[in-house]
Amino acid sequence: MALLIRSRLGLAWLLVAVMTGVITPGYPLALHAAGLSKAQIALFFAVNSLAAFAFSVLAVRHLRRTGRRGVLPALLLGSAGGLVLAATGSSLVAIHAGGVLSMLFVAAMPVTVRAIQADGLAASTDDAALSAQVRSLSVLGYVLGVALYGVAVALPGPLDPVLLGAAATVTAAVLTWSVRVPSGATAPGTAPGTAPGTAPADGARDVTADRPDLSGRHGTGPAGHGGAGGAGRGGTGHRVVVLGLAAATLALVLLKSADSLRLVYLPLHVVAGGHPESWVSALFVVTAVTELLVLRRVATSVPGGRARHVLVVAALLGAVSFAASATWGGVATLVLSQVVYAGFAALFQALGPVLLGRWLPSGLAGGVGVFSAVLQVGALVGVLAPLLVPGYGAAVFWLATVPCVAAAVLLVALRQLDDPARETATASAGGSPTSATGRGT
């Protein structure tokens, strides 16, 4: 993380994360202050989620095109403009338009990751390590953004904290103004300057070695030449990739639904239990600090080829955390459950894009974009599911436990498409089965 934060791209990512920390409490409170009803506020977030989903998908589909110089700052400036419009709009239409535009930062995320890889910052960095570092920046920026929001609302005067988020995003756009990822660019995970036919650094070579090719016509991954059951039959390899990507996506949607449920309903549960609102902030800080410690470990010791295995552990940690919140009362149990939850959140957020990237030809950058779309779908499920139970009692957390267990089962089943496919592909190439990092599984 230290290397990234000293670069323009890393600092830009940090500033965008600061913005998300500001608008997390800032958006709902600003909308409430503007006189919007509960239903109107819910509609605002639903529309934003759909917009973010669309932007994510478009960014992945046109990743080469969006890498052109000026596109990344344009996306960030558009997001900043949307924040200003949402905060100052005098009509419901203007507020909704601002909210939709503010989600453009989601499309900038995969572009930024691709730029980081092409810039040489991650020339020999494994996908899992890079993703963990980027996630660490996100958590740090989020904490700073929440703190900035708290300071802004405590100060006298009419300053809207959302406008501070817009200022952070504009600064990020300025930092990325000269960034360009060439259309024929260095592939994700490949060291810049590597000539065709020249073996790149270990981490770069290993990340792309077993990546599936969605075309089903070439490559050494499940969709590639000699993939699982493919043995030269591209159509079979293509079906394997489609099924694998679908299973991975569904598992991550389930995990995000549990994550979003906690984000929205934990504060309500705490306050409904008679505890002061300050406890909510304290629990969030405990979680964030623990998550940073876990992410540091992920960045140094979890290879990208083990993403699926570690995500199974993450899903089980989530199930334990939510089951503890649902079953046992008391402050100590609640705090402990959030410490366990931090492990779930860190692993899920850091390795989710890595898992998806292993099933996409665009690698980690594409995985980040698809993961952003997955987050929006999971968020909708997580926010709506608790309507099935009355109030904000502990029973609401059972609704988060179930998807965690289901996701763990899906991730275990994914081995039937993932590992055998890779072993077959490697064997057909005359090698021995290894993980995507080349270190073996």
Side-chain angles (χ1 to χ4, degrees):
M1 184 174 72
L3 178 62
L4 286 181
I5 204 171
R6 289 196 297 266
S7 69
R8 288 180 301 144
L9 288 167
L11 187 55
W13 187 284
L14 179 69
L15 288 170
V16 172
V18 168
M19 178 269 290
T20 63
V22 169
I23 67 173
T24 296
Y27 259 173
L29 295 180
L31 294 172
H32 178 72
L36 272 67
S37 67
K38 182 179 179 181
Q40 288 173 323
I41 292 175
L43 178 62
F44 174 86
F45 284 107
V47 171
N48 278 10
S49 293
L50 293 174
F53 176 86
F55 292 151
S56 298
V57 172
L58 289 174
V60 173
R61 287 179 61 86
H62 303 286
L63 196 53
R64 289 178 179 269
R65 195 176 302 167
T66 53
R68 295 174 182 172
R69 180 173 296 167
V71 172
L72 181 54
L75 290 171
L76 294 175
L77 287 175
S79 179
L83 289 165
V84 173
L85 186 58
T88 62
S90 57
S91 68
L92 193 58
V93 172
I95 291 173
H96 274 286
V100 168
L101 285 175
S102 70
M103 293 297 106
L104 282 171
F105 80 89
V106 176
M109 294 170 70
V111 182
T112 305
V113 170
R114 187 178 179 95
I116 287 172
Q117 293 175 313
D119 196 44
L121 294 174
S124 59
T125 303
D126 179 80
D127 276 1
L130 176 59
S131 186
Q133 292 175 34
V134 169
R135 175 59 185 169
S136 296
L137 276 182
S138 298
V139 174
L140 178 60
Y142 177 83
V143 172
L144 293 175
V146 172
L148 180 62
Y149 175 84
V151 171
V153 296
L155 293 174
L159 178 63
D160 191 324
V162 174
L163 297 179
L164 294 178
T169 310
V170 170
T171 306
V174 172
L175 287 171
T176 62
W177 190 258
S178 61
V179 171
R180 177 177 180 268
V181 181
S183 58
T186 318
T190 303
T194 302
T198 302
D202 288 345
R205 178 190 67 247
D206 295 332
V207 168
T208 58
D210 297 320
R211 181 169 295 132
D213 178 7
L214 285 173
S215 68
R217 292 188 298 271
H218 56 80
T220 58
H225 195 69
R233 295 188 301 274
T236 302
H238 181 77
R239 286 194 294 273
V240 168
V241 170
V242 171
L243 289 174
L245 184 59
T249 300
L250 179 56
L252 294 174
V253 166
L254 291 170
L255 292 178
K256 177 56 185 176
S257 70
D259 180 54
S260 293
L261 185 150
R262 177 259 186 187
L263 181 66
V264 174
Y265 290 96
L266 177 65
L268 298 173
H269 170 69
V270 171
V271 174
H275 303 298
E277 293 184 13
S278 59
W279 283 32
V280 177
S281 298
L283 288 172
F284 277 26
V285 169
V286 167
T287 303
V289 171
T290 308
E291 185 177 350
L292 284 173
L293 295 175
V294 175
L295 286 168
R296 183 177 181 182
R297 181 70 174 173
V298 172
T300 58
S301 61
V302 178
R306 305 292 292 180
R308 181 182 61 81
H309 305 75
V310 180
L311 280 169
V312 173
V313 175
L316 296 177
L317 285 175
V320 169
S321 171
F322 291 119
S325 299
T327 307
W328 295 285
V331 176
T333 301
L334 190 58
V335 172
L336 182 60
S337 71
Q338 297 313 297
V339 171
V340 176
Y341 170 85
F344 158 74
L347 297 174
F348 157 62
Q349 297 278 1
L351 298 178
V354 178
L355 179 67
L356 292 173
R358 288 169 61 77
W359 293 92
L360 294 167
S362 49
L364 180 60
V368 170
V370 175
F371 187 68
S372 298
V374 164
L375 295 184
Q376 308 312 317
V377 177
L380 285 176
V381 176
V383 170
L384 297 176
L387 298 178
L388 298 173
V389 299
Y392 305 118
V396 74
F397 295 111
W398 284 121
L399 296 175
T401 304
V402 174
C404 285
V405 173
V409 172
L410 264 176
L411 289 166
V412 170
L414 186 58
R415 178 182 180 183
Q416 303 303 316
L417 298 173
D418 188 12
D419 290 350
R422 190 162 294 108
E423 290 170 5
T424 302
T426 308
S428 68
S432 58
T434 62
S435 71
T437 61
R439 289 188 280 272
T441 54

